Amino acid sequence: RPSVFQCAIDGPAASGKSSCAAAVARTLGFAYLDSGALFRCVTLKHLRRGTESTDWHDFTAATDLRLTALPPLTGTTETGPVRPRVFMDGEDVTAAIRTPAVNSHVSAIAAIPDVRTALLAKKRALGGGIDGTLPVPGGYAGVVMDGRDIGSTVFPHAQLKVYLTAAARVRAERRVREAGGDLDLIEQELVKRDALDMARAVSPLRKADDAVELDTSAMAQDEVVATIVGWVRDRMRSGI
Ligand code: CDP
Ligand code: CDP
Ligand code: CDP
């Protein structure tokens, strides 16, 4: 049985993965890892240099990627979850990886097999190895990782796999509330990116066979977090 508790949260764009995963991790005192940020960094680096790569594996593997740790939530008075800061080759790119340019190119970069292979190694190294038997950097007892292929590919033995969904309109409304923009355009962008992520040959977005699906269209973030925390605690108690 794996020694590190692995919780995989996958789902389409803006379904609430990162905000909920961060809060779940902080509540449990686990590490939180935003795998989408890694793909966004590689995309940003590629867009900046503007030329085609000849070796995507080397290009990706040679990029130094760091996510800051989030402090555990200890009381009930703290405000909502914050995102980790993201550093690429020593530069703080937390804001730069969330621009429309990165949004519109990231799915194409994430479909390149050599990019995925290089980041798969990175994701596993940060999350206890393929089966949770390796230590997690920082010494955490568990890890929550969100993305598209965490339950299906990265951590196939994860003790809990959640597939988080919400209606496209609801997801677009959440993004607009968070960052502004045109609702119809944002919905189109999300739907287009989901289609690309589901259609790629290597580890596409899909619900793992043993994942629990949670439709959050009518759920507040706090309810989603409480539900997932409850599932983790059930599994820890029953020794799964
Ligand atoms: O936050 P949002 O849902 O918009 O996206 P993200 O989680 O930051 O992921 C950005 C993109 O990275 C996705 O659209 C996928 O193309 C890619 N990705 C992936 O292929 N595999 C993952 N495990 C995570 C992200
Ligand atoms: O990581 P992902 O792209 O799946 O989504 P997110 O960035 O965590 O969530 C997108 C927005 O939806 C954020 O502003 C969240 O606060 C919000 N959200 C919500 O309003 N209700 C939920 N049940 C989950 C997230
Ligand atoms: O203390 P320990 O050597 O176990 O590990 P660490 O210094 O906490 O982290 C080792 C590496 O893991 C860092 O250099 C980061 O690249 C990565 N890391 C990360 O990306 N995000 C985290 N939340 C924690 C560590």
Side-chain angles (χ1 to χ4, degrees):
R1 193 164 72 80
S3 51
V4 171
F5 192 102
Q6 295 176 323
C7 174
I9 302 185
D10 293 296
S15 54
K17 298 178 303 295
S18 47
S19 52
C20 295
V24 167
R26 296 178 66 194
T27 304
L28 294 163
F30 287 4
Y32 164 60
L33 294 158
D34 174 358
S35 72
L38 308 178
F39 289 92
R40 288 174 177 275
C41 285
V42 174
T43 303
L44 175 67
K45 188 168 171 175
H46 170 65
L47 289 175
R48 281 177 174 178
R49 97 202 142 124
T51 54
E52 276 306 302
S53 176
T54 45
D55 189 329
W56 282 102
H57 189 280
D58 282 358
F59 178 73
T60 305
T63 306
D64 180 42
L65 298 170
R66 289 164 198 269
L67 304 171
T68 57
L70 296 177
L73 286 170
T74 50
T76 52
T77 54
E78 287 144 303
T79 49
V82 295
R83 284 180 181 281
R85 300 206 73 78
V86 182
F87 291 84
M88 180 183 79
D89 296 328
E91 175 192 351
D92 187 338
V93 293
T94 311
I97 60 169
R98 312 260 163 215
T99 59
V102 172
N103 285 341
S104 61
H105 289 89
V106 63
S107 290
I109 300 298
I112 299 170
D114 283 345
V115 170
R116 299 206 70 83
T117 306
L119 290 184
L120 178 60
K122 176 87 180 162
K123 286 182 275 186
R124 285 184 176 155
L126 291 172
I130 186 170
D131 55 4
T133 51
L134 299 174
V136 171
Y140 294 91
V143 60
V144 183
M145 190 174 294
D146 81 298
R148 302 294 186 289
D149 62 340
I150 311 305
S152 60
T153 304
V154 182
F155 300 133
H157 309 287
Q159 290 90 331
L160 176 63
K161 300 178 184 180
V162 180
Y163 193 74
L164 213 59
T165 64
R169 195 66 172 179
V170 173
R171 293 189 275 124
E173 283 165 359
R174 289 175 180 169
R175 267 292 148 81
V176 169
R177 216 178 303 132
E178 182 184 36
D182 180 84
L183 182 61
D184 287 325
L185 280 179
I186 289 181
E187 183 176 347
Q188 282 168 33
E189 187 267 314
L190 296 179
V191 169
K192 189 176 160 200
R193 186 143 57 88
D194 292 343
L196 290 171
D197 289 341
M198 288 176 184
R200 69 171 170 247
V202 182
S203 53
L205 166 64
R206 67 171 183 88
K207 178 186 164 295
D209 295 334
D210 51 351
V212 200
E213 185 161 347
L214 187 61
D215 184 338
T216 69
S217 301
M219 290 174 81
Q221 194 172 296
D222 287 358
E223 284 179 83
V224 178
V225 173
T227 302
I228 298 173
V229 166
W231 288 342
V232 171
R233 289 195 170 131
D234 285 348
R235 282 164 174 73
M236 289 177 82
R237 214 173 294 127
S238 61
I240 288 172

